[in-house]
Amino acid sequence: YQILFRNVQTPSGKRIIGEHFHTRDAREALEELHRYYKGSTQAVVSARRLLQLIATTRLTTGYSKPLSTFAHDMISLMERYNDQQLNADTRLGDLQMLSYLQESVRGNSALHQIADDDIYRMGRGEPPLSYVEYCSLLISKAELLDSSITATRRSVNMHSIDATVPSEADAGFSGAT
């Protein structure tokens, strides 16, 4: 309790801690602080911005980081949003997260192929992929594509290095001994 009492600096936080002065119940004070700050105006505005980011983020051809980083970042954004929610009703469900994630990679045909393949499987009477299954496949496919891109870059770089080495004739060494 003393650690909370000394370290909490906001007026609202100090008030909440002060309400637990007589009981010195740090756990209860911390839980109340947690509930208060999750429901604060700042938390609500932050959650709305985060949800807007989740809904509008798209993988574009200009994205320069590894594709697996994009997938992990999108999943993390949705988890962070859900962690900020005080009410279970306002958390994103698996179907919503699946939809946001599928939409975010629509611009990459190789990654979007996972969603298309899922539709074909459902057409054959198989159950649709769960959010967890989709995430697993998406990350695996992204990592595979990342390694393919890295290998291609290495190959291109090796060729470009070879192409820039001057030949003996270009360097004036023809016939010189």
Side-chain angles (χ1 to χ4, degrees), residues 82-98:
N82 278 348
D83 289 344
Q84 289 180 358
Q85 300 309 301
L86 193 57
N87 235 334
D89 295 340
T90 58
R91 291 186 183 112
L92 297 173
D94 283 355
L95 287 177
Q96 288 172 299
M97 291 189 295
L98 177 64

Side-chain angles (χ1 to χ4, degrees), residues 65-83:
K65 295 179 184 175
L67 299 172
S68 57
T69 299
F70 180 87
H72 284 292
D73 287 350
M74 276 299 293
I75 293 166
S76 293
L77 280 175
M78 292 185 287
E79 289 172 354
R80 195 168 89 208
Y81 175 83
N82 278 348
D83 289 344

Side-chain angles (χ1 to χ4, degrees), residues 90-141:
T90 58
R91 291 186 183 112
L92 297 173
D94 283 355
L95 287 177
Q96 288 172 299
M97 291 189 295
L98 177 64
S99 178
Y100 282 133
L101 198 51
Q102 287 174 337
E103 190 60 33
S104 73
V105 299
R106 183 176 294 281
N108 182 295
S109 60
L111 294 179
H112 187 64
Q113 187 64 42
I114 299 167
D116 289 342
D117 291 346
D118 192 31
I119 292 170
Y120 293 131
R121 276 192 300 279
M122 288 187 297
R124 291 191 308 259
E126 297 175 34
L129 291 172
S130 70
Y131 171 69
V132 172
E133 291 168 331
Y134 179 82
C135 287
S136 179
L137 283 173
L138 180 68
I139 290 168
S140 295
K141 180 78 172 207

Side-chain angles (χ1 to χ4, degrees), residues 11-73:
S12 300
K14 286 181 179 185
R15 180 187 50 76
I16 291 169
I17 299 299
E19 290 172 1
H20 295 276
F21 180 76
H22 296 293
T23 63
R24 300 218 190 269
D25 186 350
R27 184 183 53 78
E28 181 61 34
L30 194 57
E31 286 177 3
E32 192 172 332
L33 279 171
H34 188 252
R35 283 191 302 272
Y36 174 78
Y37 284 109
K38 272 192 168 183
S40 71
T41 303
Q42 172 64 27
V44 170
V45 169
S46 175
R48 285 185 181 167
R49 286 185 182 142
L50 191 54
L51 186 57
Q52 183 67 27
L53 181 63
I54 291 166
T56 60
T57 298
R58 301 290 181 267
L59 179 61
T60 63
T61 55
Y63 187 77
S64 60
K65 295 179 184 175
L67 299 172
S68 57
T69 299
F70 180 87
H72 284 292
D73 287 350

